[in-house]
Amino acid sequence: MIIVYDSLTGQSKRFASHLGFQSISIKDYKESNDMVFLLTRSINFGDIPKTTVEFLDKYSNKVIGVAVSGNRNWGENYGKAGEKIEANYHLPLVLKYEGSGFLEDRQYVKDWIYNYLTQKEM
Ligand SMILES: Cc1cc2nc3c(=O)[nH]c(=O)nc-3n(C[C@H](O)[C@H](O)[C@H](O)COP(=O)(O)O)c2cc1C
């Protein structure tokens, strides 16, 4: 299990560093058998960053879930990349969070991953 983050200003990188799993920038990702949890962001009125699209086009089959950073100032486009990813790639949008997330946001994602991994073992 590895966390892959697509982070321009470092918010999702910071979020990743608190999850307790190995994490890596999307730019440095090398294909492996590991399952991936993806952290990305919304850009320009709710778009998915190109780097994320390119990653998902190749590796969405490895991704178990996605969490998306954004800013509520963007109104209806807040974290909207997450909904687009969910629709386009049929992946669960686990959480939208602002900036690098609050403690409870990080805990929520951690719990979601642990539950996923536990259920897989059963
Ligand atoms: C040019 C620009 C466009 C953005 N567009 C959106 C948007 O449409 N929706 C949103 O929720 N956040 C938007 N944001 C906010 C970023 O998604 C947010 O700052 C995020 O935490 C950045 O993550 P990163 O530091 O990991 O790159 C935008 C930020 C910038 C600079």
Side-chain angles (χ1 to χ4, degrees):
M1 178 48 229
I2 186 170
I3 311 287
V4 174
Y5 54 83
D6 188 348
S7 188
L8 187 66
T9 61
Q11 304 279 24
S12 288
K13 182 178 181 184
R14 200 166 313 127
F15 191 102
S17 73
H18 290 278
L19 294 179
F21 294 93
Q22 186 194 351
S23 61
I24 189 168
S25 166
I26 205 163
K27 290 179 275 173
D28 300 325
Y29 177 77
K30 301 267 186 306
E31 188 168 12
S32 76
N33 289 330
D34 285 331
M35 288 179 275
V36 169
F37 191 91
L38 179 65
L39 302 178
T40 185
R41 60 204 153 90
S42 285
I43 56 160
N44 302 333
F45 305 100
D47 269 354
I48 311 170
K50 191 165 171 257
T51 34
T52 293
V53 170
E54 286 170 358
F55 177 85
L56 285 170
D57 284 348
K58 278 194 196 153
Y59 306 120
S60 69
N61 62 326
K62 301 197 180 283
V63 178
I64 61 167
V66 183
V68 175
S69 181
N71 187 314
R72 286 187 198 275
N73 291 342
W74 288 83
E76 64 178 20
N77 290 315
Y78 168 57
K80 197 151 180 202
E83 277 123 42
K84 291 184 182 168
I85 290 171
E86 194 167 46
N88 296 353
Y89 296 93
H90 309 291
L91 293 171
L93 170 60
V94 175
L95 185 71
K96 297 192 216 180
Y97 56 96
E98 283 200 280
S100 57
F102 294 108
L103 205 58
E104 56 266 33
D105 296 328
R106 297 164 183 178
Q107 193 60 48
Y108 184 86
V109 170
K110 249 181 173 172
D111 290 347
W112 190 92
I113 295 171
Y114 278 114
N115 282 340
Y116 183 96
L117 296 176
T118 310
Q119 279 172 19
K120 234 179 134 15
E121 278 167 17
M122 290 195 318

